[in-house]
Amino acid sequence: MAEVSGESVRNNEQESRFEVEAGDELAIAQYRREGSKIYFTHTEVPEHLEGQGIGNTLAHAALEFARSNKFRVVPQCEFIADFIEKHPEYQDLVDQA
C-alpha cells in the first residue's frame, strides 16, 4: 500500500485496479497489463467525493507503479490521459505505438 497525499492507495492486483477507501466507498483506477504495457482503462471516484484530489492521488500512485516496474503506459481512460498531459514528468511513460 502506498501513501500519497494522506490517502492510502492499494494496488488490488486480483481486481486489476488501484483503490482508495473513502469511508465505506471505493475510488478506483482500473488497469490491464499486457507484457511490458499497462493500459489504464477507467477511473471512478464517487460523485460526492469528486474535487478532493482522490482521482489525482490514484493517478499519481498508478503512474509511479508503472515507472518503478518499467511499464509503458497506454492511457485509455480520459482522466489518466488528462493527468499525464497536466503532469509532464509522466509523459515519458506513454507508449507512442
Side-chain angles (χ1 to χ4, degrees), residues 21-33:
E21 289 183 30
D24 61 350
E25 299 190 81
L26 205 56
I28 63 164
Q30 195 80 37
Y31 65 84
R32 180 178 80 249
R33 292 185 349 200

Side-chain angles (χ1 to χ4, degrees), residues 56 78-91:
N56 287 341
E78 186 177 331
F79 184 87
I80 298 290
D82 287 346
F83 184 88
I84 292 169
E85 188 173 314
K86 292 174 186 169
H87 296 87
E89 66 270 25
Y90 293 115
Q91 291 175 2

Side-chain angles (χ1 to χ4, degrees), residues 44-57:
E44 185 174 322
V45 176
E47 190 173 336
H48 69 280
L49 296 174
E50 289 178 359
Q52 297 180 29
I54 295 171
N56 287 341
T57 297

Side-chain angles (χ1 to χ4, degrees), residues 30-88:
Q30 195 80 37
Y31 65 84
R32 180 178 80 249
R33 292 185 349 200
E34 291 182 12
S36 64
K37 294 182 184 178
I38 187 166
Y39 295 77
F40 291 104
T41 58
H42 180 68
T43 302
E44 185 174 322
V45 176
E47 190 173 336
H48 69 280
L49 296 174
E50 289 178 359
Q52 297 180 29
I54 295 171
N56 287 341
T57 297
L58 281 166
H60 174 76
L63 292 168
E64 286 298 323
F65 171 83
R67 183 180 305 284
S68 67
N69 288 280
K70 300 186 182 351
F71 285 115
R72 301 301 298 160
V73 171
V74 182
Q76 296 178 323
C77 165
E78 186 177 331
F79 184 87
I80 298 290
D82 287 346
F83 184 88
I84 292 169
E85 188 173 314
K86 292 174 186 169
H87 296 87

